[in-house]
């Protein structure tokens, strides 16, 4: 802060030269004590006043005992007149035996203007300063306003700002006040250093804080702009990071900032005293409430013996225990954790002490600062209300929930004394921020090609806490639109209602011979079972159809294959005897299941499903520790044309290793089955490739059509499978020789997995004369007499090893992978290089 003030003195102080004149000149003439004391306030003569009434000026002189003015009354009146800010000069003299007060009034501000401000609007500046049009000009006030304007620019990262107040004289003792502003460039953070850190490198700690170093791409964000509040918040983030990883004695002693005139930026240094890393030696429970057994709270503890001391887990344990105590009727019970350190063995003995707390009730909850967000949107995040017992754990939970809404820049809940000693008032102080987003996104991947998206979203629609989004996608091989709506509190319950309407079209490309068009609608309900466990139930209804590009519908696409007409052409011209029943399928241009799907028209799928998610990741965007598990099931057959049960399991485990290395273990599995004698369609099957084992093309592994012409490169569609499994291990590492702000890190990995057991259609009968023993398949010279599907389906384990480049770029997350298959099937398709990513700008 000393650095910041020194900058302001250099900038604003130099700008306010015209304030070198005295703010108010006060001259007291010779006042004879005896005559003055003999006068009353009503006998004071007033001179020089034009706008202020003489009686108003006299009212500042309060008579002493006996109704007479004494020297003390005169001095107090003089001081009070000066403090009004209405006068440039006040003089008190004695003339003709009377007390004369001579004043020079401050001019009136006629026009107030700002010049040179481009980054901050006039309205924002006007709201922050005290000088107002039609108000009195006060030079100290103007000086304070100039400092305040400079402070506003400082908060936005512009420390080279100059504010020059100019006064333009006008007739009738009026002036125009103009603040001439030279904004200057943004003042960035040129370097971030850590002193005293041994357990974690500076490279790792830069991931923890919000402040960033300036680089060539800093113009796309504002994380490098120096903000003293953000630096102070970073101190707490560092401290909480260490406390979460066992360093119970950690102290972030200081966050030193220094402005470097040569580099025109700030140098930030965090000084850390780590202390020792502790593990939990024991966990015990004590209860001072006679009717409560402390050990009954053991199941609500997230602290385990032998694990690293974790202050965050300790806080959550206390929170869950106090909530459970409230449910059991102990509304005023408090849980106080105590940690007894063993410095020799580096262990902490945790004691949860349960006591009967003071009987304090919540008198009122006041919400301050919400100009757009409705009050009920804020109040519903509380599990307590007016009249309930005061519970600090529930108040902390409400504050955390409000911050997680991402509607506000700052959230702070404080307490004030109520109307009596057993009453408190909760004050929720908020500062709102913009919650709308208009984005134009672009990306490219080796599977979908180029893809663009335009979307409009609002996280706090109409101030009601509702999420709404509309987006349109248009790409080389993928197109569509989607509409989404989420009401997080359905009927005032903590249940989220979501509605999705979407239309997607996947065009034929080098990996599939057909196009699909899907139009769907899906309502869903979400339940937070715990902070780390959530459940979503949904209903899905969608219409799906297959189409073929024209070059695969001409039935004569293979040189030398001859003429293979469609079944419709055969029937219309009564050519069954000549050409048989195979039609266009005999051409080999599209697989039999594709032709069946094309002939069957659109299919409707109606299903019920759920997803159970367990999430303990430390960071959603860039995790380094924690577990993310998804279990998903869908039951199709609630109406519609198909019946199946589809189950998918996905688990990712991240763990921090030495020297900023992060390990990842990824497991996947899935099963698809049918019931009621219903046959599965090809489109209902799982399709796998690089999403299971890297190094393979999209839809590159698993059962595949290997008919006569598929062998020559025509057709050969992936059929999909009803079972799959996959396992992957990955090691992610930073590039220590590059600046942290570049956002680059590398990865090495090994994948294994398999997709198998196709259960879709394998024959297609038009006249019934197919799949007979000894049938002759079609060739280049003969049409053949059978239409059975010839496909490869083996439970072969595919494996690969590879390297990756991960870039958390300002254009969005990008990833480049190069993988080499070690084992593969005879008809699998390989794609060693893969690239994908996107952005919002």
């Amino acid at each position: 802060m000393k650095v910041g003030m020194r900058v302001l003195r250099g900038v604003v102080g130099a700008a306010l030269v015209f304030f070198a004149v005295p703010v108010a000149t006060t001259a007291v003439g010779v006042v004879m004590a005896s005559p003055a004391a003999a006068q009353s306030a009503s006998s004071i003569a007033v001179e020089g006043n034009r706008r202020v009434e003489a009686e108003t000026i006299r009212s500042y002189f309060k008579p002493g005992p006996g109704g007479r003015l004494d020297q003390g009354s005169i001095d107090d009146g003089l001081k009070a007149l000066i403090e009004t800010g209405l006068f440039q000069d006040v003089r008190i003299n004695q003339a003709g035996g009377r007390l004369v007060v001579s004043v020079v009034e401050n001019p009136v501000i006629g026009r107030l203007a700002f010049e040179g401000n481009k980054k901050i609007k006039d309205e924002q500046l006007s709201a922050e300063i005290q000088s107002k049009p039609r108000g009195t000009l006060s030079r100290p006030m103007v000086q304070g306003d100039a400092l305040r304007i400079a402070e506003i620019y400082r908060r936005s990262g512009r420390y080279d700002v100059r504010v020059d107040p100019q006064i333009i004289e006008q007739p009738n003792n009026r002036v125009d006040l103009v603040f001439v502003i030279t904004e200057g460039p943004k003042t960035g953070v040129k370097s971030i250093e850590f002193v005293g850190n041994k357990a974690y490198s500076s490279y790792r700690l830069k991931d923890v804080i919000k402040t960033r170093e300036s680089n060539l791409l800093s113009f796309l964000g504002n994380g490098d702009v120096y903000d003293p509040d953000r630096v102070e918040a970073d101190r707490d983030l560092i401290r909480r990071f260490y406390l979460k990883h066992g360093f119970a004695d950690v102290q972030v002693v200081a966050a030193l900032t220094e402005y470097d005139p040569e580099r025109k930026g700030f140098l930030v240094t965090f000084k850390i005293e780590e202390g020792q890393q502790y593990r939990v030696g024991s966990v015990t429970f004590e209860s001072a409430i006679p009717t409560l057994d402390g050990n009954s709270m053991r199941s609500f503890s997230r602290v385990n013996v032998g694990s690293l001391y974790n202050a965050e887990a300790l806080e959550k344990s206390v929170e869950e225990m106090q909530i459970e105590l409230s449910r059991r009727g102990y509304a005023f019970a408090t849980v106080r954790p105590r940690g007894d350190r063993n410095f020799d063995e580096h262990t902490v003995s945790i004691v949860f002490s349960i006591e009967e707390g003071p009987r304090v009730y919540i008198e009122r909850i006041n919400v301050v600062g919400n100009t757009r967000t409705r009050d009920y949107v804020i109040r519903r995040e509380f599990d307590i209300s007016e009249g309930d017992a005061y519970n600090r754990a529930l108040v902390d939970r409400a504050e955390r929930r409000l911050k997680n809404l991402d509607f506000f820049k700052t959230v702070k809940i404080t307490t004030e004394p109520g109307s009596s000693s057993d009453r408190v008032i909760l004050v929720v102080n908020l500062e709102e921020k913009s919650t709308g987003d208009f984005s134009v996104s672009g990306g490219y991947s080796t599977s979908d090609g180029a893809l663009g998206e335009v979307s409009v979203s609002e996280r706090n629609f109409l101030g009601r806490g509702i999420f709404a989004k509309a987006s349109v996608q248009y790409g080389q091989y993928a197109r569509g639109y989607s509409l989404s709506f989420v009401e997080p509190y359905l009927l005032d319950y903590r249940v989220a209602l979501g509605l999705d309407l979407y239309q997607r079209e996947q065009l034929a490309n080098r990996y599939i011979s057909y196009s699909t068009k899907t139009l769907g609608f899906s309502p869903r309900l979400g339940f937070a079972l715990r902070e780390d466990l959530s459940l979503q139930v949904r209903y899905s209804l969608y219409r799906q159809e297959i189409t073929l590009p024209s070059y695969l519908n001409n039935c004569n696409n293979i040189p030398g294959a001859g003429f293979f007409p469609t079944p419709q052409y055969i029937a219309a011209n009564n050519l069954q005897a000549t050409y048989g029943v195979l039609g266009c399928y005999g051409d080999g241009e599209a697989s039999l299941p594709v032709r069946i799907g094309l002939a069957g028209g659109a299919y409707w799928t109606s299903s019920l499903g759920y997803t159970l998610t367990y999430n303990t990741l430390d960071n959603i965007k860039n995790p380094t520790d924690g577990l993310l598990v998804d279990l998903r099931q869908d039951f199709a057959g609630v109406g519609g044309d198909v019946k199946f049960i589809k189950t998918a399991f996905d688990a990712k485990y991240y763990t921090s290793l030495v020297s900023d290395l992060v390990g990842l273990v990824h497991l996947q599995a899935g099963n698809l089955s049918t019931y009621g004698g219903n046959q599965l369609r090809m489109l209902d099957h799982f399709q796998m490739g690089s999403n299971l084992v890297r190094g393979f093309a999209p839809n590159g592994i698993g059962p595949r059509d290997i008919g006569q012409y598929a062998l020559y490169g025509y057709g050969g569609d992936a059929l999909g499978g009803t079972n799959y499994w996959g396992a992957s291990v990955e090691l992610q590492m930073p590039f220590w020789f590059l600046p942290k702000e570049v956002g680059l890190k590398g990865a090495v990995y090994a994948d294994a997995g398999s997709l198998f057991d196709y259960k879709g259609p394998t024959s297609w009968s038009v006249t019934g004369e197919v799949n007979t023993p000894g049938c002759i398949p079609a060739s280049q010279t003969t049409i053949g007499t059978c239409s059975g599907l010839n496909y490869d389906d083996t439970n072969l384990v595919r494996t690969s090893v590879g390297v990756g480049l991960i870039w958390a770029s300002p254009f969005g997350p990008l990833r480049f992978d190069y993988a080499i298959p070690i084992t593969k099937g005879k008809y699998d398709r390989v794609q060693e290089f893969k690239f994908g990513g996107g952005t919002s700008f």
Side-chain angles (χ1 to χ4, degrees), residues 774-841:
C775 67
I776 302 172
S779 68
Q780 290 186 348
T781 56
T782 61
I783 297 174
T785 61
C786 61
S787 59
L789 176 66
N790 186 15
Y791 66 101
D792 175 66
D793 184 1
T794 59
N795 188 4
L796 175 69
V797 177
R798 281 81 170 179
T799 59
S800 69
V801 294
V803 295
L805 183 65
I806 307 168
W807 185 23
S809 76
F811 308 103
L814 302 176
R815 176 152 183 158
F816 307 81
D817 281 297
Y818 182 80
I820 300 175
I822 304 300
T823 59
K824 61 179 182 177
K826 180 179 180 181
Y827 303 104
D828 288 346
R829 295 189 177 179
V830 172
Q831 179 181 286
E832 295 179 343
F833 177 75
K834 181 184 178 183
F835 162 73
T839 184
S840 295
F841 47 86

Side-chain angles (χ1 to χ4, degrees), residues 105-146:
E105 293 180 341
N106 276 327
V108 174
I109 301 173
R111 183 176 71 95
L112 177 65
F114 304 92
E115 293 182 0
N117 55 311
K118 298 178 181 179
K119 301 300 181 181
I120 301 178
K121 296 181 179 179
D122 288 1
E123 294 78 8
Q124 183 178 350
L125 295 176
S126 297
E128 294 290 339
I129 64 175
Q130 295 182 356
S131 299
K132 303 295 180 184
R134 296 181 297 280
T136 303
L137 177 71
S138 169
R139 293 179 184 274
M141 185 183 297
V142 173
Q143 185 179 18
D145 289 341

Side-chain angles (χ1 to χ4, degrees), residues 390-430:
Y390 173 73
N391 188 316
R392 186 66 220 179
L394 293 181
V395 173
D396 291 342
R397 169 181 276 193
E399 183 173 323
R400 187 165 62 250
R401 285 174 174 171
L402 288 172
K403 290 178 180 178
N404 292 338
L405 288 177
D406 200 25
F407 298 167
F408 313 104
K409 288 182 181 179
T410 58
V411 178
K412 186 66 177 176
I413 302 179
T414 58
T415 59
E416 294 180 355
S419 58
S420 60
S421 59
D422 63 344
R423 298 287 189 273
V424 295
I425 298 173
L426 296 183
V427 181
V428 185
N429 289 286
L430 309 166

